[in-house]
Amino acid sequence: MVTTQIPWTFACADEKGENLNVEIDLPGIKKENIEFKMHDNSYTVRAVNDDIKYAGTFPTCCPVTPEKAVAKYTNEKLIITVPFQEPHMKSIDLEIE
């Protein structure tokens, strides 16, 4: 019996606010068993082996340009870099009381 799980996913803007970096942990999965789809406001991952299936759809924080996304799979981690449609807004340091 195959167990379905939501994969651990981490996403954040790069230092310049130009790209969204996404990391998805897929332990026990071979590259050829991964299906990844990128949309302008979300991404979907499906991956399966004999014992486990990972599946999930996740929103992006801001619109991205999926046609320019780059993905690589190394050490059981899928890493995607995709540019934002517009540069990420500047941030300010907020004093915490």
Side-chain angles (χ1 to χ4, degrees):
M1 179 175 189
V2 176
T3 302
T4 302
Q5 293 186 12
I6 298 171
W8 184 88
T9 302
F10 174 77
C12 68
D14 65 8
E15 294 83 20
K16 293 181 179 181
E18 296 173 352
N19 297 295
L20 178 66
N21 296 320
V22 179
E23 295 182 9
I24 304 170
D25 284 344
L26 299 169
I29 302 295
K30 294 180 182 176
K31 181 172 101 170
E32 57 269 15
N33 294 336
I34 301 171
E35 178 184 324
F36 184 82
K37 295 185 182 209
M38 182 114 241
H39 312 281
D40 65 351
N41 61 0
S42 65
Y43 56 93
T44 300
V45 63
R46 288 189 177 90
V48 65
N49 70 13
D50 294 333
D51 302 324
I52 193 161
K53 177 181 180 182
Y54 295 101
T57 298
F58 307 91
T60 59
C61 61
C62 303
V64 296
T65 307
E67 298 83 9
K68 295 183 179 180
V70 176
K72 67 178 180 177
Y73 189 62
T74 183
N75 297 325
E76 299 184 331
K77 187 176 294 223
L78 182 60
I79 300 169
I80 301 96
T81 301
V82 60
F84 290 113
Q85 288 183 11
E86 295 182 23
H88 206 60
M89 291 183 187
K90 287 190 173 188
S91 62
I92 60 166
D93 290 327
L94 184 62
E95 184 178 329
I96 301 173
E97 297 178 17

